[in-house]
Amino acid sequence: MKHIKPQNTNVNDYDHVYRMDIEGMHCKNCAMRIENAFNEQPDCMAKVDLAGKFARIYTKKPVEEVVLKQTAWHAGYEPKTVTVEK
């Protein structure tokens, strides 16, 4: 599996930050699938904390919670709580 890099990797360039708890991630490949699902979106970047079972999603524009959760579902994982951090 190839890791998809976001267009912009500088977290300071993103105006919105979300934390999403995700169930079903067990290994580095799981984390990469989640990151890839978000990184392939325009103006979006994700970093997964596998031990904490959550992803931090950085976006340049506001994104609805349902859209964030759908992205995780399509990657094959179960999204839980979404918290706005910034």
Side-chain angles (χ1 to χ4, degrees), residues 8 40 56 62 64-65 67:
N8 183 343
E40 67 186 8
R56 191 162 277 118
E64 292 183 29
E65 180 177 330
V67 174

Side-chain angles (χ1 to χ4, degrees), residues 32-71:
M32 192 178 342
R33 279 191 200 98
I34 291 287
E35 288 180 358
N36 284 350
F38 286 100
N39 290 350
E40 67 186 8
Q41 307 289 326
D43 297 329
C44 188
M45 177 178 73
K47 291 187 177 184
V48 169
D49 180 324
L50 191 56
K53 299 200 181 295
F54 70 88
R56 191 162 277 118
I57 301 117
Y58 301 86
T59 64
K60 292 188 177 180
K61 297 177 183 169
V63 179
E64 292 183 29
E65 180 177 330
V66 66
V67 174
L68 297 172
K69 287 185 172 184
Q70 285 174 342
T71 302

Side-chain angles (χ1 to χ4, degrees), residues 6-46:
Q7 295 171 340
N8 183 343
T9 58
N10 185 349
V11 296
N12 296 320
D13 291 342
Y14 293 91
D15 294 329
H16 305 275
V17 182
Y18 304 91
R19 177 191 156 122
M20 179 171 25
D21 295 321
I22 303 171
E23 285 191 9
M25 296 188 300
H26 304 288
C27 65
K28 289 181 184 177
N29 283 337
C30 294
M32 192 178 342
R33 279 191 200 98
I34 291 287
E35 288 180 358
N36 284 350
F38 286 100
N39 290 350
E40 67 186 8
Q41 307 289 326
D43 297 329
C44 188
M45 177 178 73

